[in-house]
Amino acid sequence: MNRATRRAIARTGHAPIDVAQQTSLRKAQCLMKIATVLELNKPTTDAQCDGLMLELHSCFDALKNGSSDPELFNRLASSLNTALVLAEAIGQEVVDAMLLAHDALQHCAALRDRHGRYGFTGQGIQDVREALDLYSQIVRLSTPLQINAAVDDGHRRALKQMRDNEVPA
């Protein structure tokens, strides 16, 4: 071991990596990035979609039956925000259906504020059910990358809306 190697070990805590190992590591990192991008661009599987929709329908059913758990409400509301972002790329009819569901959720939250339990009107139930059916179709036709981008955009919009209304995050 020469003086330069000893100094490098003292500086970094390990021996310097040779060029062949660095190249090998770079190739492995590139391959992992490629695999990740390819995986995110595959269509959503039926199992993934079914799992998501089962969770959302169980949240919706619990809210319909008078749950007072805000986690269920937040899960359904955030998913419908994601659905709204994805719907904007499809057309105004789908956006309108999602906005009706958002109105139903606002009414649901107002019921919780007044009575201590969540609930929906008859029309609200129909609006949310239609929005969930549309969201299921959208998710089946979307890639995980598109869904992740919509989730991020939905979060950005919610934070901007809270800032504009001066609500603490």
Side-chain angles (χ1 to χ4, degrees), residues 35-57 75 79 132 135-148:
T36 302
V37 168
L38 289 175
E39 188 65 32
L40 288 173
N41 283 304
K42 286 183 182 177
T44 306
T45 65
D46 287 341
Q48 289 171 321
C49 184
D50 291 343
L52 172 65
M53 297 316 297
L54 180 65
E55 181 182 352
L56 293 179
H57 280 287
R75 176 69 177 120
S79 292
L132 288 175
Y135 186 46
S136 175
Q137 293 173 20
I138 292 169
V139 168
R140 287 185 196 285
L141 298 173
S142 300
T143 65
L145 192 62
Q146 291 169 319
I147 295 169
N148 290 342

Side-chain angles (χ1 to χ4, degrees), residues 63 93 122 145:
L63 294 174
E93 293 172 356
L145 192 62

Side-chain angles (χ1 to χ4, degrees), residues 12-169:
T12 62
H14 59 81
I17 300 173
D18 67 0
V19 177
Q21 281 182 314
Q22 288 178 344
T23 305
S24 173
L25 285 173
R26 282 192 202 117
K27 284 181 184 177
Q29 290 171 341
C30 287
L31 289 174
M32 287 301 295
K33 288 179 183 177
I34 291 169
T36 302
V37 168
L38 289 175
E39 188 65 32
L40 288 173
N41 283 304
K42 286 183 182 177
T44 306
T45 65
D46 287 341
Q48 289 171 321
C49 184
D50 291 343
L52 172 65
M53 297 316 297
L54 180 65
E55 181 182 352
L56 293 179
H57 280 287
S58 65
C59 289
F60 180 48
D61 288 340
L63 294 174
K64 278 191 310 191
N65 293 325
S67 172
S68 60
D69 186 0
E71 288 297 318
L72 297 173
F73 179 83
N74 291 336
R75 176 69 177 120
L76 184 61
S78 65
S79 292
L80 288 178
N81 283 340
T82 302
L84 178 62
V85 173
L86 291 167
E88 289 171 351
I90 296 171
Q92 190 59 41
E93 293 172 356
V94 181
V95 171
D96 291 342
M98 295 302 167
L99 291 175
L100 288 173
H102 277 87
D103 291 343
L105 282 176
Q106 288 176 345
H107 182 73
C108 178
L111 284 174
R112 165 71 167 74
D113 293 341
R114 283 196 305 264
H115 303 292
R117 294 189 174 274
Y118 291 104
F120 290 95
T121 62
Q123 186 62 46
I125 291 172
Q126 291 175 354
D127 292 341
V128 173
R129 190 174 289 140
E130 181 182 349
L132 288 175
D133 289 343
L134 287 170
Y135 186 46
S136 175
Q137 293 173 20
I138 292 169
V139 168
R140 287 185 196 285
L141 298 173
S142 300
T143 65
L145 192 62
Q146 291 169 319
I147 295 169
N148 290 342
V151 169
D152 291 344
D153 193 27
H155 286 289
R156 271 193 299 280
R157 291 179 188 189
L159 289 173
K160 182 182 182 310
Q161 185 178 14
M162 288 179 2
R163 266 193 313 271
D164 291 347
N165 295 330
E166 298 181 13
V167 176

